[in-house]
Amino acid sequence: MAIPTRFLVISDTHGDPLRHAKLTEVVDVVIHCGDLTEESKLSEFKTSIELLNAIDAPLKLIIAGNHDWTLDIPMFQKKLAEHDPLLEDELVQKEYGRFGEARALFDNAAGIVFLNEGMHRFELSNDALLNVYASPYTPSVNDWGFNYPPTEEHTWDIAGNVDVAITHCPPKGVLDRVAGSGSVGSPGLFAAIARARPLLHCFGHIHTGWGAKRVGWHVEAEIGDQALTHMTAIDGDTTVAIQNLAKLKANVKSEGDECTQSLRSKGFCATAMPAELAGKATLCVNAAIEGPDDASQQVPWIVETWLARTSVPQKETPGSNKRKNGFTESVSGKRSCMIE
C-alpha cells in the first residue's frame, strides 16, 4: 500500500533566512538542493543549519551547490593556491574554516543528512521507503564548487528504483531558462531523468527558473536510449506547467489553483504527484529561494506524493514521538570529493 509523504523543498538560500514562508505545515522530509551559502563562509553554513533546525521535520536531506565551494576540497585548495597574494592561514580558518570543517558542521547536526553523490535509501518515520539520487554537480567554466566543463557530460548514475532525484543543476529544457542565454540545464541529466522517471526531481541553481512542471513521458520512449531528447521522451499532451514566475506575473491560475491559494495565505506553493502517474510522469520543481536579484526571495514548495511501504513498519515506543525518528537504512553509490 502506498503511503502519502510530504516534502518541503528549498534551494539557493545563499546564507539567508527565509523571509516570507511561515513553514508551520507538517512535513515528513525537508530537501535543500544546494547553494546553502553565497561565499561559502562558516557563518553562512551556520545560518543554514539554524534555518533547517527551525523547520519541524523528522528528516532533512541536503546537497551542496556551486557556491558551497569549501565543501569541494580540491576546489578549496585550488582557490587558496591561486590567490595572489597568498592568504594567511589564520584569516582563512576564521572565515572559511579548515578543510572539512564546514562539512563537519552538518555531520554533527541532528536530523540533517548531507548527501554525497549517488543513490541513498531511507526508511521514513511514516513507514514509507524512500530511494533518493543526489548530485551537487553543475556545468560551468568558472572556479566554483562541483563544476564540470559544459563541453563534457557528467555521469548521472540514477537507478531505476529512484523515487526522488535531488540535484543542484536543472535538466536541459525544464525550468532552466536564463534571459539572453536560453536553456542552460544539463542534457545528460535530462536523459538520465527521462530514463529513470522518478516521482519527483527537485533542483535550483537557475533563480529565474523557479516553478513546478509535471513532465509526462512517452510510453513508447526507449528508456535505455542514451540520446533521449525532449522530442523523443516528453509527451506534450500530459505535460503541465503548474506554476512559474511568468504565470505569477501574469496572474494566471495554477493547476487547481492550490499553489496560488497556499502562496498567498501561507507563504509557500503546494502541489501533488498522484500515485497513478508513477513511471508515466515526473514532477520537476525548481525551488530556488533567492529571486532574480539578490534582495528578492521566492517561496518554498510543499509536494505530496505516495511512496511504497517499508517491509517492516517501525514500531512506536510508548511516550515517543514517532515523527522524529527518520533514519538512514543504507547508502550506496559513487562518492563525491566531499570529505567525510
Side-chain angles (χ1 to χ4, degrees), residues 6-28:
R6 301 186 87 205
F7 296 86
L8 169 66
V9 188
I10 57 177
S11 186
D12 297 81
T13 50
H14 290 279
D16 292 329
L18 299 178
R19 296 197 294 269
H20 302 309
K22 302 178 180 68
L23 301 184
T24 58
E25 297 291 305
V26 174
V27 297
D28 300 290

Side-chain angles (χ1 to χ4, degrees), residues 86-105:
L86 292 178
L87 297 173
E88 296 181 5
D89 288 345
E90 183 178 354
L91 176 62
V92 172
Q93 292 186 21
K94 178 181 178 181
E95 294 292 334
Y96 301 103
R98 300 177 299 277
F99 297 142
E101 186 174 350
R103 172 62 185 265
L105 292 175

Side-chain angles (χ1 to χ4, degrees), residues 16 33-34 52 58 92-93 104 117 131 161 189 197 203 209 215 230 241 244 262 265 272 296 314 331:
D16 292 329
C33 305
L52 292 166
V92 172
Q93 292 186 21
E117 183 171 63
N131 291 300
N161 67 337
L189 177 56
R197 303 184 179 187
F203 47 88
V215 177
H230 284 244
N244 54 49
S262 59
S265 63
S296 64
Q314 299 177 41
V331 178

Side-chain angles (χ1 to χ4, degrees), residues 222-234:
E222 292 293 333
I223 294 178
D225 183 3
Q226 296 294 320
L228 282 171
T229 66
H230 284 244
M231 293 293 293
T232 61
I234 291 182

Side-chain angles (χ1 to χ4, degrees), residues 130-151:
L130 173 63
N131 291 300
V132 169
Y133 172 79
S135 177
Y137 285 91
T138 55
S140 178
V141 296
N142 299 312
D143 281 346
W144 295 98
F146 307 101
N147 285 159
Y148 64 91
T151 54

Side-chain angles (χ1 to χ4, degrees), residues 172-254:
K172 181 74 171 180
V174 182
L175 304 171
D176 69 333
R177 294 191 66 81
V178 174
S181 300
S183 178
V184 297
S186 165
L189 177 56
F190 173 82
I193 292 295
R195 288 193 302 272
R197 303 184 179 187
L199 291 167
L200 172 63
H201 180 200
C202 48
F203 47 88
H205 188 49
I206 304 304
H207 299 181
T208 52
W210 176 95
K213 185 175 186 178
R214 192 174 68 233
V215 177
W217 304 115
H218 280 305
V219 175
E220 65 274 16
E222 292 293 333
I223 294 178
D225 183 3
Q226 296 294 320
L228 282 171
T229 66
H230 284 244
M231 293 293 293
T232 61
I234 291 182
D235 180 0
D237 292 336
T238 59
T239 294
V240 179
I242 296 171
Q243 191 58 278
N244 54 49
L245 293 182
K247 292 180 72 173
L248 283 180
K249 186 175 181 180
N251 200 25
V252 177
K253 291 184 177 181
S254 63

